[in-house]
Amino acid sequence: MDIAKSMIVQSAAGRDKGRLFFVLETEGDFLLLADGKTRRVERPKRKKRKHTVFAMVSDTRVAEKIRNGEKITNSEVRRTLAQLSGAGNPDQEG
């Protein structure tokens, strides 16, 4: 499956290995990724496609905003990724 905008990927290489990210944009062989915490929406991580693994297609409000080009906040991204990964209390993510 080809990775597209608003999908969720997992990092397969680098110091962020294993972390989930939203794909904010695609640029050829590169993806612009944000998790709302270490990589914020204002400064997304540019990572090669081959260093990521497809995790899931999201039908959340955040994914819809990304597809429509609307403004998203870091807290929305953090909360959604925490809920999807099943991590404890999403309000404690921070």
Side-chain angles (χ1 to χ4, degrees):
M1 171 178 246
D2 195 32
I3 298 171
K5 192 174 180 178
S6 82
M7 290 183 174
I8 297 175
V9 296
Q10 185 175 23
S11 175
R15 67 179 73 180
D16 57 4
K17 185 177 181 176
R19 294 189 64 113
L20 292 177
F21 293 93
F22 267 105
V23 177
L24 300 182
E25 202 63 55
T26 59
E27 298 177 342
D29 285 342
F30 291 92
L31 304 172
L32 295 180
L33 308 174
D35 67 356
K37 189 173 184 178
T38 57
R39 277 303 176 169
R40 301 174 77 71
V41 174
E42 300 84 23
R43 292 186 47 97
K45 172 133 181 88
R46 189 170 184 254
K47 195 166 186 84
K48 285 191 175 187
R49 283 181 193 265
K50 69 180 183 179
H51 294 153
T52 62
V53 177
F54 170 76
M56 66 184 81
V57 176
S58 176
D59 59 352
T60 61
R61 178 73 181 127
V62 174
E64 186 179 320
K65 282 183 167 184
I66 293 170
R67 283 190 294 271
N68 294 335
E70 296 176 32
K71 184 170 173 41
I72 56 172
T73 63
N74 291 306
S75 61
E76 287 177 318
V77 172
R78 272 194 318 269
R79 191 174 300 115
T80 303
L81 288 175
Q83 289 171 350
L84 293 173
S85 68
N89 184 354
D91 293 332
Q92 297 300 314
E93 288 291 315

